Amino acid sequence: MHNPRWKAGGRAFAHIAQFHPELTALRRDLHAHPELGFEELYTGRRVKEALQLCGVDEIHEGIGRTGLVAVVRGRSQSSGSMVGLRADMDALPIAEHNDFSWKSCKQGLMHGCGHDGHTAMLVGAARYLAETRNFDGTAVLIFQPGEEGFAGARVMMEDGLFDRFPVQSVFAMHNWPAMKPGTVGINTGPMMAAADRITIEITGRGGHGAHAYQTVDVVLVAAHIITAAQSIVSRNVRPIESAVVSLCAIQAGDLGAFSVLPGTATLVGTVRTFDPAVQEMVEQRLKELCSAIALGFGATATLHYERMYPATINTESEAVFAADVAESLVGADHVVRDLEPSMGAEDFSFMLQTKPGAYLRLGQGTGASGSALHNSRYDFNDEILPLGSALHASLIEQAMPLPMP
Ligand SMILES: [Zn+2]
Ligand SMILES: [Zn+2]
């Protein structure tokens, strides 16, 4: 099944390529049975079964509710080292528009971000590591629930993940449709942005649209806040820094009531930043603009600013190490070492706040469907399963090499 358009080398890849069909079958089975965050019961069962067949040393269930951790010990333990690998397991509330046989069997749920593939890749690494054990230390394989907005990484950590498995470093990867299969992208700093949710509640005085002078018009206030909010990035953020302010939803009045001015309006949106100082400043400016604009019209506006995921920031030496490992598999011309960060977000960021580590992007192409992540026609590209598994496994082997005989 290995596609000849790209090549990967190394012992791990050759070994794992032999069970590519089994990994594909597992991936498609997970795809057919998508589950939302903290509901990954079928997924957890399938992962556990697969890990038992792989012969891993320990399987720990129920860490962070539906999370699992597998432990594989290397043939030597003299280093005393422990390294973590993480895969996310959850799906999205999207109605799938694919027609293949492994299409979601659940109405309104699909694996639209490829976490089915990430899970299968880590199972593939577990099997290879358990079969070969060519490393000196302990591999900790983290199957994490609830990446899509549930902060499952943080929940696993709050449940003692790193107290029970005190890894020295931790690595994760995400498939990336904009990059070709057989390529890997990484950088030594921010990979993904911090994601914050903003809710702006505006209160005025409703009334008859014909007698607007008797009202405090919240629709007008909302319009001014929306326009002014877009001045923050262009006028307050230094041009060489990055930030996005998006107001994505507005709720006011009733579409059937053409002459009724509502008394309240709500705006919902997101702020994306890399630097905590920029994040702080955007929050402050939003708060000031909301209250000052509302005051100017005789209304009130309250900003609820919720910090959801911090920025995903690789530590330098682990990122360089991971890039070297990727290079050993696919060659220097297939590794982008200065990958541009994305304004998307990722809860692996919580793990990187406490542990050195790196987050990589694994090219998968847009496939037959030509679709991006979170699209109803997206599908994980099974072609890259052995490469993802081999990359995980090689991070372990090269972080904890066997002592010279
Ligand atoms: Zn996603
Ligand atoms: Zn994802």
Side-chain angles (χ1 to χ4, degrees), residues 86 144 153 157 161-162 348-355:
R86 171 275 208 172
Q144 184 211 296
M157 288 163 65
L161 174 67
F162 292 137
F348 185 61
S349 53
F350 289 108
M351 295 195 184
L352 289 181
Q353 281 189 326
T354 52
K355 295 289 177 184

Side-chain angles (χ1 to χ4, degrees), residues 293-364:
I293 289 166
L295 183 72
F297 287 92
T300 59
T302 319
L303 171 71
H304 304 279
Y305 194 100
E306 187 190 346
R307 291 174 189 218
M308 297 177 69
Y309 288 179
T312 304
I313 302 175
N314 288 343
T315 50
E316 189 170 358
S317 67
E318 283 69 24
V320 170
F321 163 73
D324 291 345
V325 172
E327 214 172 282
S328 73
L329 281 159
V330 295
D333 51 346
H334 288 86
V335 179
V336 182
R337 285 172 173 266
D338 57 351
L339 190 77
E340 190 174 85
S342 156
M343 300 311 286
E346 160 66 60
D347 74 351
F348 185 61
S349 53
F350 289 108
M351 295 195 184
L352 289 181
Q353 281 189 326
T354 52
K355 295 289 177 184
Y359 180 77
L360 302 96
R361 285 203 195 127
L362 190 58
Q364 79 137 26

